[in-house]
Amino acid sequence: MTAHGPTAGPRMDRRTVLALGGALGLAALAGCSRPQNLIGTATPGPAPTGTGPRKILQATGLDTPWSMVRAKDGRILVSERDTARILSLSPDGNLTPLVHLPQVVAGGEAGLLGLEIIAASGEVEWLYAYLGTETDNRVVRMPLQDSGVGPVEDILVGIPRATIHNGGRIKQGPDGLLYIGAGDATDQQAAQDPTRLNGKILRIKPDGGIPKANPFAGSPVYSYGHRNVQGLGWDSSGRLWASELGPEKNDEVNLIEPGRNYGWPFVTGVARDARFVDPIHVWPSTADASPSALAIAGDIAYVGCLRGERLWEFPLPAGEPPAGGTLPGARELLSGQEGRLRDVLVVGDELWVATNEGADSRIIALELPVA
């Protein structure tokens, strides 16, 4: 196992207003605890009625869930940002704690964020987590077990943390490597510095090593000039798409190319500047989006939105995307029905959606294709 990353911290100047309740105050300790008590059952049933697609309620009573991932036995694992818990939702609807990670220090947008599972040689399943400690954001992994997890290992350390703009999405790509969305941690200029980890999409091997094919030799940096990447997903051609939060305007969906510069903080939206890659889709008003997670099913992208409180659907073009910042066929779903949407996950022939409503958060499922 190789753990990489600098130790320098970010500047803490605040640009965006998002005041969330206090930190957990947990010490940065190695290892984890394994509570086994049943939280409750979550028998699927009709969700609250409203116009739009049919919804099935999968779980309620979650506390600010951030990420969902499916294990090979069918369990859905869910991270809670502020409690530092990973919960397990069984196929029969039982919701139980899997593990509490005491090294997590939550505060603002930092805490226990993205999850991913990578199987090693078809046997051991490694559970990866992106989390905030007292001093940094980092990626860790732990072997997944039936009733808990094994020892926690650091995989990538030293990603700068701040009250806001922590990124946090982690996904395994079709190449078997781990991709990581790292926010600028309020240090805008760092996004333009390929030697720093914030404001980037990063790519590492499952053991933390640096792939030889990465665009910057010896570095986990895959693309740069990002403000706060929140969603990652691949289409059937293996192209990487990312959803990203803009400032007071110009939330984006980008088509990611290795080594390219996506412009932040010099430009947002469609700049038509040869130095930077223009986004494929832009929301001029953050009230329509504030995009969080992104999932792709059948070359249709689904983007869950926070402030926008809706789910956007985008048919992805097979060839070169059109210029101009608008994907044809985009439509909005669930507008104003489920509150803030934090994560989306394809589970079989369903799209699971986790809401971001504090202690009243829930998970619903929509049938695919979404009507």
Side-chain angles (χ1 to χ4, degrees):
M1 183 277 290
T2 307
H4 293 271
T7 59
R11 295 198 306 267
M12 297 298 287
D13 55 305
R14 188 174 179 86
R15 270 187 349 103
T16 302
V17 177
L18 182 57
L20 294 173
L24 290 178
L26 299 173
L29 303 173
C32 54
S33 55
R34 302 180 186 177
Q36 299 298 323
N37 57 300
L38 179 69
I39 294 175
T41 58
T43 304
T49 59
T51 59
R54 180 173 179 267
K55 297 171 284 188
I56 302 297
L57 185 64
Q58 297 290 349
T60 59
L62 297 159
D63 191 344
T64 316
W66 209 95
S67 181
M68 301 179 289
V69 66
R70 189 183 191 185
K72 65 183 179 182
D73 62 7
R75 289 180 292 170
I76 303 297
L77 306 185
V78 185
S79 64
E80 291 184 327
R81 185 191 65 197
D82 298 337
T83 69
R85 297 189 306 176
I86 299 175
L87 308 179
S88 175
L89 179 59
S90 69
D92 60 3
N94 288 329
L95 187 65
T96 57
L98 178 74
V99 62
H100 172 262
L101 298 175
Q103 60 267 60
V104 172
V105 177
E109 294 175 359
L112 179 55
L113 304 180
L115 299 178
E116 182 59 297
I117 292 176
I118 298 179
S121 304
E123 297 178 1
V124 176
E125 285 185 290
W126 289 96
L127 174 60
Y128 291 75
Y130 184 110
L131 55 86
T133 71
E134 188 175 10
T135 59
D136 67 356
N137 289 306
R138 62 182 59 188
V139 178
V140 304
R141 74 174 183 177
M142 59 212 89
L144 184 59
Q145 301 170 351
D146 289 340
S147 58
V149 300
V152 177
E153 302 176 5
D154 289 332
I155 295 298
L156 180 67
V157 302
I159 304 171
R161 69 166 281 166
T163 305
I164 56 175
H165 300 184
N166 290 284
R169 194 66 60 190
I170 56 175
K171 293 289 181 181
Q172 183 183 29
D175 54 8
L177 301 175
L178 186 67
Y179 291 73
I180 304 158
D184 69 6
T186 71
D187 186 349
Q188 298 179 19
Q189 298 306 316
Q192 286 294 316
D193 184 349
T195 68
R196 301 183 65 183
L197 299 184
N198 41 333
K200 310 296 189 298
I201 293 176
L202 310 172
R203 182 174 74 167
I204 59 176
K205 295 179 180 179
D207 66 357
I210 306 299
K212 291 182 179 179
N214 273 13
F216 302 98
S219 169
V221 172
Y222 188 75
S223 62
Y224 65 109
H226 297 289
R227 181 175 182 267
N228 196 14
V229 171
Q230 294 282 288
L232 299 168
W234 287 262
D235 63 21
S236 63
S237 298
R239 298 180 299 178
L240 172 58
W241 299 79
S243 56
E244 182 164 353
L245 292 163
E248 294 78 19
K249 60 180 181 179
N250 294 340
D251 293 327
E252 299 176 352
V253 172
N254 284 292
L255 182 57
I256 303 301
E257 302 173 48
R260 298 297 301 276
N261 185 345
Y262 286 79
W264 176 255
F266 299 133
V267 298
T268 63
V270 177
R272 296 182 174 88
D273 185 322
R275 296 174 297 169
F276 310 121
V277 180
D278 280 339
I280 304 303
H281 191 86
V282 178
W283 293 274
S285 171
T286 58
D288 295 326
S290 294
S292 184
L294 179 151
I296 298 175
D299 283 339
I300 296 176
Y302 296 94
V303 179
C305 296
L306 296 167
R307 183 184 175 196
E309 296 189 355
R310 68 200 71 185
L311 178 72
W312 281 95
E313 176 189 271
F314 300 97
L316 298 176
E320 187 72 19
T326 301
L327 274 173
R331 66 168 180 152
E332 56 185 280
L333 305 162
L334 304 180
S335 182
Q337 296 180 28
E338 297 294 333
R340 294 160 56 88
L341 308 182
R342 170 55 74 183
D343 196 18
V344 288
L345 176 70
V346 176
V347 180
D349 58 359
E350 295 178 333
L351 182 73
W352 285 36
V353 181
T355 71
N356 183 227
E357 296 293 295
D360 294 324
S361 300
R362 59 202 169 278
I363 297 173
I364 63 171
L366 310 177
E367 295 177 347
L368 288 172
V370 179

